[in-house]
Amino acid sequence: MTGSEAVRAEPSPPQIPLTRLDATEPELIDELLAAVRRVAESARFTLGDEVEAFEAEWAAHCGVAHAVGVSSGTDALALALRAVGVGAGDDVVVPANSFIATAEAVTLSGASPRFADVDPRTALVTAETVEAALTPRTRCVIPVHLYGRTVEMEPLMALARDRGVHVVEDACQAHGARLGPRRAGGIGDAGCFSFYPAKNLGAWGDAGAVVTPHAGVAERVRLLRSHGERSRHHHELVGTTARLDALQAAILRVKLRRLEEATAARRRAAASLRHALGQALTDLTGASAATPLTLPPAPAPGGDDVFHQFVVRCADRDGLRRHLTRRGIETAVHYPVPIHLTPAYAGSQPRSLPTAETLAAEILSLPIHPRLAPEEITRTAGAVATFTAGAGIEVRA
């Protein structure tokens, strides 16, 4: 074929990523590298001033008396459980639809996870679903503020008080979320955070923190994260190596100053995406439909959503995902297998958890981040709508 006969291919549209990390913000990168240089010049890489400063700033942000920096969100959960007294022979209730670390932390503490089903609208545990999973050996409950959406904590805390069990919040996806005047993570006996790079407040590697109103819990986490040492070579208990390093603390201090602004931008992007999806779907599908496409629910009164993920539900989730991938739109599934059905916990759940199992087959995370552009929102909504129109799918808000 000669050049005159060649068919010129249409350029592919630019990829719409699920999220964007710091490399896309040159001004932020400069500030972060200056913080790294500050730590390098101090040569204080383990704990030290940067960690202590971040702990004070994060505690103030969360509205609690104490924050303890640790090496990951998983370690935050495992150490918090040990700090409140959970151990061998105890049961801990966790949601079946969460990242496996929620259950792993229970196992690492020596206890056994007991899986609770969730509300079909919010995908979160409730006091009712937790109560159904309680056993005589239950020592603690871990509500997960999944996707940045807050659990209704007041009835759950009342249940915990009535049953005499601890509450350790998994707020690893809910940085800065509010429940009335309080923050996610600051309501139970302890709250646990991950600062994995893709989180709303992300480090440049693994990092985490435990927040708590209780001085005794904070002190025990400090001991556990560093071999049980209160002073060098004096080990009061068996701990581990789970310290937050100074480089990550310095990076988090820079980004914490931007968290409120980034959260506001994330909420605006989510609102725009919700509106665009609703409009595009209405334009293409009208009132026809049998199988629903469900948008994220509005927060309960007094609750919040900081949109770590923007999760929709579709009966033909895998078909929708393939459709979006072909159009250059990145998606993810959080999470495709309920924890109680994973090989790691096979046989641990004596009863079916129908809502968690249904959700795992239908949920799909669409692109969401503070810098999601209007044209990316329009493209995503249009692509979703063209698939659902072809499939005869109805939108539900």
Side-chain angles (χ1 to χ4, degrees):
M1 179 180 292
T2 68
S4 60
E5 295 171 324
V7 176
R8 192 178 299 276
E10 289 292 324
S12 299
Q15 180 84 3
I16 300 177
L18 187 70
T19 190
R20 291 186 189 274
L21 300 181
D22 300 333
T24 59
E25 292 190 76
E27 183 180 336
L28 174 60
I29 286 287
D30 288 343
E31 193 172 349
L32 292 170
L33 289 174
V36 170
R37 183 180 183 87
R38 183 175 70 243
V39 174
E41 289 174 345
S42 77
R44 299 194 67 183
F45 299 110
T46 303
L47 299 179
D49 295 343
E50 292 288 350
V51 172
E52 291 172 9
F54 173 70
E55 289 173 338
E57 291 160 7
W58 187 239
H61 182 84
C62 295
V64 295
H66 309 279
V68 184
V70 296
S71 53
S72 70
T74 307
D75 282 325
L77 287 160
L79 299 187
L81 288 170
R82 288 184 63 186
V84 300
V86 170
D90 295 331
D91 288 346
V92 178
V93 176
V94 303
N97 64 321
S98 180
F99 185 52
I100 195 171
T102 309
E104 280 180 325
V106 176
T107 304
L108 290 170
S109 74
S112 300
R114 291 292 176 259
F115 296 102
D117 213 347
V118 294
D119 180 82
R121 180 174 175 272
T122 66
L124 305 175
V125 291
T126 66
E128 290 75 21
T129 66
V130 165
E131 187 170 23
L134 293 174
T135 73
R137 302 195 310 176
T138 300
R139 185 77 177 274
C140 186
V141 173
I142 304 180
V144 179
H145 302 293
L146 195 67
Y147 309 141
R149 187 180 304 157
T150 53
V151 173
E152 290 191 62
M153 291 296 295
E154 187 174 336
L156 187 59
M157 293 299 294
L159 173 66
R161 286 191 297 269
D162 182 60
R163 297 301 182 91
V165 301
H166 293 288
V167 175
V168 171
E169 294 173 74
D170 183 337
C172 290
Q173 298 184 5
H175 309 75
R178 289 193 174 276
L179 293 108
R182 305 174 75 180
R183 298 272 195 186
I187 296 169
D189 296 290
C192 300
F193 292 89
S194 165
F195 304 117
Y196 184 75
K199 295 299 173 79
N200 291 25
L201 178 62
W204 280 5
D206 284 311
V210 177
V211 300
T212 178
H214 306 299
V217 171
E219 180 60 18
R220 191 165 178 82
V221 173
R222 288 191 184 95
L223 289 170
L224 289 167
R225 74 178 176 181
S226 190
H227 303 293
E229 286 185 325
R230 194 180 303 276
S231 59
R232 188 66 172 157
H233 300 307
H234 290 80
H235 306 275
E236 298 188 14
L237 48 78
V238 176
T240 186
T241 302
R243 298 178 290 257
L244 175 63
D245 70 67
L247 286 169
Q248 302 301 347
I251 286 165
L252 289 167
R253 292 183 68 199
V254 172
K255 297 180 71 174
L256 178 54
R257 295 195 289 268
R258 292 172 162 80
L259 179 59
E260 291 286 350
E261 179 184 351
T263 300
R266 193 178 283 268
R267 288 195 183 105
R268 289 194 297 271
S272 295
L273 181 56
R274 180 194 298 277
H275 176 78
L277 283 166
Q279 187 63 56
L281 287 159
T282 299
D283 289 347
L284 283 172
T285 66
S288 69
T291 309
L293 179 82
T294 305
L295 302 181
D304 197 3
D305 195 334
V306 294
F307 291 99
H308 174 59
Q309 304 293 347
F310 189 100
V311 179
V312 299
R313 290 178 61 184
C314 180
D316 187 9
R317 184 268 310 288
D318 295 337
L320 174 57
R321 193 177 189 196
R322 288 191 296 269
H323 176 84
L324 296 177
T325 298
R326 288 194 295 268
R327 283 152 182 79
I329 300 167
E330 187 179 5
T331 62
V333 179
H334 298 98
Y335 298 93
V337 182
I339 304 173
H340 68 288
L341 297 182
T342 63
Y345 286 101
S348 62
Q349 183 64 38
R351 60 191 177 90
S352 175
L353 301 174
T355 301
E357 291 159 21
T358 298
L359 285 170
E362 296 183 355
I363 50 178
L364 184 67
S365 298
L366 300 182
I368 191 70
H369 53 82
R371 297 179 295 283
L372 191 64
E375 58 271 21
E376 293 176 319
I377 291 171
T378 300
R379 258 184 67 196
T380 300
V384 171
T386 57
F387 176 80
T388 55
I393 290 174
E394 176 189 12
V395 61
R396 291 184 184 175

